[in-house]
Amino acid sequence: MDLKPLSREDFKKFSPEGSSKNRAYLYLRIIDFACHPDKISKQIGLVPTGTRQKGEEYIITLGKKKQLKRISDITLWEYERKIISDDFIGDLVEAFIDDVIEPRIVEIKGLENPKRVVFNITHYCYTSNNPGVFISSKHMKTLADINAELDIDIY
C-alpha cells in the first residue's frame, strides 16, 4: 500500500476552521438520567447545546456530506463551548469550570441520580507540539464535588 502524507492544503479540507489556530471543545455532559432533559436545563439554569433520549433517532455528520442515522442508547444532556484560540488549554478549561460549573455546583449535585457526569476536553493543537494540560487543585475539587469523570482527548 502506497500511503502519501497529507499536504497542509489537504489537511485544511478536513478542518473547516483551517489549521492556523488551536481548537478546544469543552463539554459538560450528564448521561443516563430518568427525567426529561428539559428538567435538567431548568434545574441547573443552562440551555444545553444538545440533548437526546434513549431510543431517539439522531444523526451524525461525517465530513461535509455524509450523514448516519443512529438510535441513542443513552439519555444525554450536554453543554458545549467551542473555542478557536492559541490560548493555553489549561486557562480555557479553568475558565469553563469557573463560568459554567462552579456557579451550578449545588444544582448539579441535586440532579436525580444521573449515572454519569462527564467533563470532556477535546483539544486540536496545531501551533505547538504536545501541549500539557494543567488544572489546579481548586478546579479539580469542583469537578470532584459534582462527581465528574474527566475525559481528555488531545490531537
Side-chain angles (χ1 to χ4, degrees), residues 76-104:
L76 172 74
W77 182 100
E78 82 178 359
Y79 179 80
E80 172 188 30
R81 186 176 284 173
K82 297 177 185 176
I83 304 163
I84 300 171
S85 171
D86 288 334
D87 291 342
F88 177 59
I89 185 66
D91 293 341
L92 300 174
V93 166
E94 290 184 352
F96 183 95
I97 293 170
D98 287 340
D99 298 345
V100 176
I101 298 173
E102 178 69 34
R104 297 172 176 85

Side-chain angles (χ1 to χ4, degrees), residues 12 14 36 38 66 74:
K12 286 181 181 180
F14 295 106
H36 192 277
D38 290 346
K66 188 171 183 177
I74 61 169

Side-chain angles (χ1 to χ4, degrees), residues 11-124:
F11 183 72
K12 286 181 181 180
K13 293 175 188 175
F14 295 106
S15 174
E17 294 89 1
S19 60
S20 61
K21 292 235 182 224
N22 296 335
R23 289 182 290 146
Y25 298 86
L26 307 173
Y27 303 88
L28 172 63
R29 290 185 171 131
I30 300 167
I31 301 170
D32 280 341
F33 45 87
C35 64
H36 192 277
D38 290 346
K39 185 175 181 183
I40 290 178
S41 301
K42 185 176 180 180
Q43 185 169 342
I44 66 174
L46 193 62
V47 176
T49 54
T51 63
R52 60 178 184 253
Q53 293 185 280
K54 192 171 189 170
E56 181 179 80
E57 187 176 278
Y58 67 101
I59 296 175
I60 300 173
T61 302
L62 303 171
K64 292 184 180 180
K65 295 183 181 179
K66 188 171 183 177
Q67 294 185 330
L68 300 174
K69 289 183 182 179
R70 296 283 191 241
I71 303 296
S72 182
D73 60 347
I74 61 169
T75 303
L76 172 74
W77 182 100
E78 82 178 359
Y79 179 80
E80 172 188 30
R81 186 176 284 173
K82 297 177 185 176
I83 304 163
I84 300 171
S85 171
D86 288 334
D87 291 342
F88 177 59
I89 185 66
D91 293 341
L92 300 174
V93 166
E94 290 184 352
F96 183 95
I97 293 170
D98 287 340
D99 298 345
V100 176
I101 298 173
E102 178 69 34
R104 297 172 176 85
I105 287 178
V106 172
E107 292 80 4
I108 294 169
K109 287 171 71 172
L111 294 174
E112 296 176 29
N113 300 319
K115 286 192 180 169
R116 297 174 61 204
V117 175
V118 179
F119 177 56
N120 177 257
I121 303 163
T122 302
H123 188 228
Y124 293 88

